[in-house]
Amino acid sequence: MSKDIKSVEHSPKIHQRNDPQHVNDRTFFIDASNQSLTAIPLEIFTFTELEEVHLENNQIEEIPQEIQRLKNIRVLYLDKNNLRSLCPALGLLSSLERLDLSYNPIFSSSLLVVSFLHALRELRLYQTDLKEIPVVICKNLHHLELLGLTGNHLKCLPKEIVNQTKLREIYLKRNQFEAFPQELCVLYNLEIIDLDENKIGAIPEEIGHLTGLQKFYVASNNLPVLPASLCHCSQLSVLDLSHNLLHSIPKSLTELRKMTEIGLSGNRLEKVPYLICRWTSLHLLYLGNTGLHRLRGSFRRLVNLRCLDLSQNHLDHCPLQICALKNLEVLGLDDNKIGQLPSELGSLSKLKILGLTGNEFLSFPEEVLSLASLEKLYIGQDQGFKLTYVPEHIRKLQSLKELYIENNHLEYLPVSLGSMPNLEVLDCRHNLLKQLPDAICQAQALKELLLEDNLLTHLPENLDSLVNLKVLTLMDNPMEEPPKEVCAEGNEVIWKYLKEKRNRNIMATKIQAWWRGTVVRKGFGKFGELLKPRKKGKTSPKDKKGKKDVKGKPGKGKKK
């Protein structure tokens, strides 16, 4: 369930409008993204009043000189194209404030033209194969507030970066930094620093100078300790330290009163740091794979938690402290040693997502059935004991949208799944299912039905009535109806087969009904009688008609 408990990309680019905007017959906004364009349509350059143009996710190879006509343009998105060079005319767009050239194979020498865009406030160069930042960009652009350089090959920043005194956000994720860029510590307006997935071994004490820092991402590095001076970053609310080499965090960080999210997963803590229980403002807490055997009693203070990840630890029971966290919406307990859930679990009245995969339940934990708000339940057992049944009472979870019960020993599914109106995803892969209940055809919200590696030979004949079903997987089943070759062709072919079979069955029923009527009308007796097997030596009712037994006359083969 990791996809449910991980944060999304830190600075998503948001389209504020989707349609061309007109005022007094003047066009200010055009969205030509996702159109498979190989060149920028020249018609665009006739709209000289344009302020915002979206051309991302096409196949554009060059920017024509006509771009200089767009004197009023403020926003230009050209990411995910095939640009290798930038024409000099791009540097004439004196009003341009936001430029995205990400995911293009741009020659670094071609980026020099960007240094002429003096009004630029946001520059995104994600994954453009950069090995260094052109110094002139740092020297000439004095209004940058956001600089996106994720997914490149940078090992350091030019010392001229100190000129970016207005910089608020810098994204350096997935580069090759081995040392924290010291130059950042003098950019006092910084609010967001993203250095995830580098090779940084230390953070300097000077980090404490960034008193306006709000979000600090340094996950997946080589940090053994944190500087105590981090406590001076009094505005800090999000701190991701996941997957480092930490054994503890400095007690001084208790002073950070605005913490709402902290990631510590994948460190060597072995116990919950005491100061975390004093951050009562926390909303998201990630403690997966940290060697935990238990939680502190004071953990119950974290009453504002909405998301808690305790997966991949050594918990042999579900800590009761969790049941006091009334605002919890997401709870990850996957891959522990839990064999039973507390009856108090039902007090988590806002819980929407629960991960129990890979634990030691001997049977389905029916305590989850009291979670009326639950929308996603993960209880696949890729390791440990295997479940052999899912109770019919699963229908109590009327809000459930996704049920993951893969890697178990289930031979059948509860009929009540058909009475769950919101169920969209049902993952039953790698079980021992021999058949599906016909009632599954009533689960009209189903979009994904994952059934590979079971013992299925037949599908319910009305399965094609699931009009919303987009994904149906049947690999590694001994299918007969439909045959394997039909199943391999995908949903449409399977639906066609089921419809044709159903029509044949209907026709056969009509023929049988006609034949029954004919038999009765012709005087052959009741149809049921005709279907009875004849006993040896006995004649049919028709053979006896009109014949009389002769008394005293011996039958054939009998003695007088």
Short mmCIF file of all heavy atoms in Angstrom, two decimals, residues 3 18 70 133 163 192 202 217 251 260 300 305 335 378 389 401-402 409 515 538:
data_model
loop_
_atom_site.label_atom_id
_atom_site.label_comp_id
_atom_site.label_asym_id
_atom_site.label_seq_id
_atom_site.Cartn_x
_atom_site.Cartn_y
_atom_site.Cartn_z
N LYS A 3 1.96 3.16 -2.23
CA LYS A 3 1.52 4.26 -3.08
C LYS A 3 0.52 5.16 -2.38
O LYS A 3 0.34 6.32 -2.75
CB LYS A 3 0.90 3.70 -4.36
CG LYS A 3 -0.34 2.86 -4.15
CD LYS A 3 -0.83 2.27 -5.44
CE LYS A 3 -2.06 1.40 -5.20
NZ LYS A 3 -2.53 0.77 -6.44
N ASN A 18 -7.99 25.48 -18.85
CA ASN A 18 -7.92 24.43 -19.85
C ASN A 18 -8.43 24.86 -21.22
O ASN A 18 -8.25 24.16 -22.20
CB ASN A 18 -8.73 23.21 -19.39
CG ASN A 18 -8.08 22.55 -18.18
OD1 ASN A 18 -6.88 22.44 -18.12
ND2 ASN A 18 -8.90 22.13 -17.24
N LEU A 70 5.59 37.08 -29.72
CA LEU A 70 4.76 36.98 -28.51
C LEU A 70 5.35 37.87 -27.42
O LEU A 70 5.86 37.40 -26.40
CB LEU A 70 4.66 35.52 -28.06
CG LEU A 70 4.14 34.53 -29.12
CD1 LEU A 70 4.07 33.13 -28.54
CD2 LEU A 70 2.78 34.98 -29.65
N ILE A 133 25.30 23.91 -14.30
CA ILE A 133 24.41 25.03 -14.60
C ILE A 133 25.23 26.15 -15.22
O ILE A 133 26.25 26.56 -14.65
CB ILE A 133 23.74 25.55 -13.32
CG1 ILE A 133 23.01 24.40 -12.62
CG2 ILE A 133 22.75 26.66 -13.63
CD1 ILE A 133 22.54 24.78 -11.24
N ASN A 163 23.75 34.79 -5.98
CA ASN A 163 23.06 35.97 -6.51
C ASN A 163 21.54 35.81 -6.51
O ASN A 163 20.82 36.80 -6.67
CB ASN A 163 23.52 36.26 -7.95
CG ASN A 163 24.98 36.68 -8.01
OD1 ASN A 163 25.46 37.37 -7.12
ND2 ASN A 163 25.68 36.26 -9.06
N ILE A 192 11.78 26.05 0.34
CA ILE A 192 11.75 24.62 0.01
C ILE A 192 13.10 24.21 -0.58
O ILE A 192 13.59 24.84 -1.53
CB ILE A 192 10.64 24.30 -1.01
CG1 ILE A 192 9.27 24.68 -0.45
CG2 ILE A 192 10.67 22.82 -1.40
CD1 ILE A 192 8.13 24.49 -1.45
N ALA A 202 26.54 14.74 4.94
CA ALA A 202 26.46 15.66 6.08
C ALA A 202 25.71 16.93 5.69
O ALA A 202 25.72 17.34 4.52
CB ALA A 202 27.85 16.02 6.58
N TYR A 217 13.68 18.33 2.11
CA TYR A 217 13.66 16.94 1.67
C TYR A 217 15.08 16.45 1.44
O TYR A 217 15.77 16.92 0.53
CB TYR A 217 12.87 16.81 0.36
CG TYR A 217 11.44 17.29 0.44
CD1 TYR A 217 11.10 18.59 0.05
CD2 TYR A 217 10.42 16.46 0.89
CE1 TYR A 217 9.79 19.04 0.10
CE2 TYR A 217 9.10 16.89 0.95
CZ TYR A 217 8.80 18.19 0.55
OH TYR A 217 7.50 18.63 0.61
N LYS A 251 17.77 16.27 20.12
CA LYS A 251 16.71 16.71 21.04
C LYS A 251 16.34 18.17 20.83
O LYS A 251 15.22 18.58 21.13
CB LYS A 251 17.17 16.51 22.48
CG LYS A 251 17.34 15.04 22.86
CD LYS A 251 17.79 14.90 24.30
CE LYS A 251 17.95 13.43 24.68
NZ LYS A 251 18.42 13.27 26.09
N THR A 260 4.39 19.32 10.73
CA THR A 260 3.17 18.61 10.33
C THR A 260 3.48 17.28 9.63
O THR A 260 2.62 16.40 9.57
CB THR A 260 2.31 19.46 9.39
OG1 THR A 260 3.08 19.77 8.21
CG2 THR A 260 1.88 20.75 10.06
N ARG A 300 0.08 8.22 22.05
CA ARG A 300 -1.34 8.55 21.95
C ARG A 300 -1.60 10.05 21.94
O ARG A 300 -2.72 10.49 21.65
CB ARG A 300 -2.11 7.89 23.09
CG ARG A 300 -1.75 8.36 24.47
CD ARG A 300 -2.56 7.66 25.56
NE ARG A 300 -2.26 6.23 25.64
CZ ARG A 300 -3.11 5.26 25.31
NH1 ARG A 300 -4.32 5.57 24.89
NH2 ARG A 300 -2.75 4.00 25.41
N LEU A 305 -2.76 13.13 13.95
CA LEU A 305 -2.22 12.32 12.87
C LEU A 305 -3.33 11.88 11.91
O LEU A 305 -4.37 11.39 12.32
CB LEU A 305 -1.53 11.07 13.43
CG LEU A 305 -0.04 11.15 13.74
CD1 LEU A 305 0.48 9.79 14.15
CD2 LEU A 305 0.76 11.69 12.56
N ASP A 335 3.70 -6.08 6.72
CA ASP A 335 4.99 -6.74 6.96
C ASP A 335 5.50 -6.59 8.39
O ASP A 335 6.64 -6.18 8.62
CB ASP A 335 6.03 -6.22 5.95
CG ASP A 335 5.60 -6.48 4.52
OD1 ASP A 335 5.09 -7.57 4.25
OD2 ASP A 335 5.77 -5.58 3.67
N TYR A 378 -5.84 -3.71 2.33
CA TYR A 378 -4.76 -4.55 1.81
C TYR A 378 -4.51 -5.68 2.79
O TYR A 378 -4.10 -5.45 3.93
CB TYR A 378 -3.47 -3.73 1.66
CG TYR A 378 -3.55 -2.58 0.68
CD1 TYR A 378 -4.13 -1.36 1.05
CD2 TYR A 378 -3.03 -2.69 -0.60
CE1 TYR A 378 -4.21 -0.30 0.15
CE2 TYR A 378 -3.09 -1.62 -1.50
CZ TYR A 378 -3.68 -0.44 -1.11
OH TYR A 378 -3.75 0.62 -1.99
N TYR A 389 -10.35 -18.00 3.83
CA TYR A 389 -11.70 -17.50 3.53
C TYR A 389 -11.79 -16.01 3.83
O TYR A 389 -11.01 -15.45 4.60
CB TYR A 389 -12.75 -18.25 4.36
CG TYR A 389 -12.82 -17.78 5.81
CD1 TYR A 389 -13.77 -16.83 6.20
CD2 TYR A 389 -11.93 -18.27 6.77
CE1 TYR A 389 -13.83 -16.38 7.52
CE2 TYR A 389 -11.99 -17.82 8.08
CZ TYR A 389 -12.93 -16.89 8.45
OH TYR A 389 -12.98 -16.43 9.75
N LYS A 401 -13.78 0.53 -1.63
CA LYS A 401 -13.57 0.71 -3.07
C LYS A 401 -12.53 -0.27 -3.61
O LYS A 401 -12.61 -0.67 -4.78
CB LYS A 401 -13.11 2.14 -3.36
CG LYS A 401 -14.15 3.21 -3.05
CD LYS A 401 -13.61 4.59 -3.40
CE LYS A 401 -14.67 5.66 -3.12
NZ LYS A 401 -14.15 7.03 -3.43
N GLU A 402 -11.56 -0.63 -2.79
CA GLU A 402 -10.49 -1.50 -3.27
C GLU A 402 -10.18 -2.57 -2.22
O GLU A 402 -9.98 -2.26 -1.05
CB GLU A 402 -9.23 -0.69 -3.57
CG GLU A 402 -9.45 0.39 -4.63
CD GLU A 402 -8.19 1.18 -4.95
OE1 GLU A 402 -7.08 0.69 -4.61
OE2 GLU A 402 -8.31 2.27 -5.54
N HIS A 409 -4.82 -18.54 0.21
CA HIS A 409 -5.29 -19.87 -0.19
C HIS A 409 -6.80 -19.90 -0.29
O HIS A 409 -7.46 -20.85 0.12
CB HIS A 409 -4.80 -20.92 0.82
CG HIS A 409 -3.35 -21.27 0.67
ND1 HIS A 409 -2.65 -22.01 1.60
CD2 HIS A 409 -2.45 -20.98 -0.32
CE1 HIS A 409 -1.39 -22.15 1.21
NE2 HIS A 409 -1.26 -21.53 0.05
N TRP A 515 -40.01 -28.59 -28.03
CA TRP A 515 -40.05 -30.06 -28.15
C TRP A 515 -40.93 -30.69 -27.07
O TRP A 515 -41.70 -31.61 -27.33
CB TRP A 515 -38.63 -30.60 -28.08
CG TRP A 515 -38.54 -32.10 -28.06
CD1 TRP A 515 -38.01 -32.90 -27.10
CD2 TRP A 515 -39.00 -33.00 -29.07
NE1 TRP A 515 -38.12 -34.21 -27.42
CE2 TRP A 515 -38.73 -34.30 -28.66
CE3 TRP A 515 -39.65 -32.80 -30.30
CZ2 TRP A 515 -39.05 -35.42 -29.39
CZ3 TRP A 515 -39.97 -33.92 -31.05
CH2 TRP A 515 -39.68 -35.22 -30.59
N LYS A 538 -38.53 -54.26 -20.22
CA LYS A 538 -39.78 -53.50 -20.12
C LYS A 538 -40.07 -52.83 -21.45
O LYS A 538 -39.17 -52.42 -22.17
CB LYS A 538 -39.68 -52.44 -19.01
CG LYS A 538 -39.50 -53.02 -17.61
CD LYS A 538 -40.79 -53.66 -17.12
CE LYS A 538 -40.64 -54.12 -15.68
NZ LYS A 538 -41.90 -54.71 -15.18
#
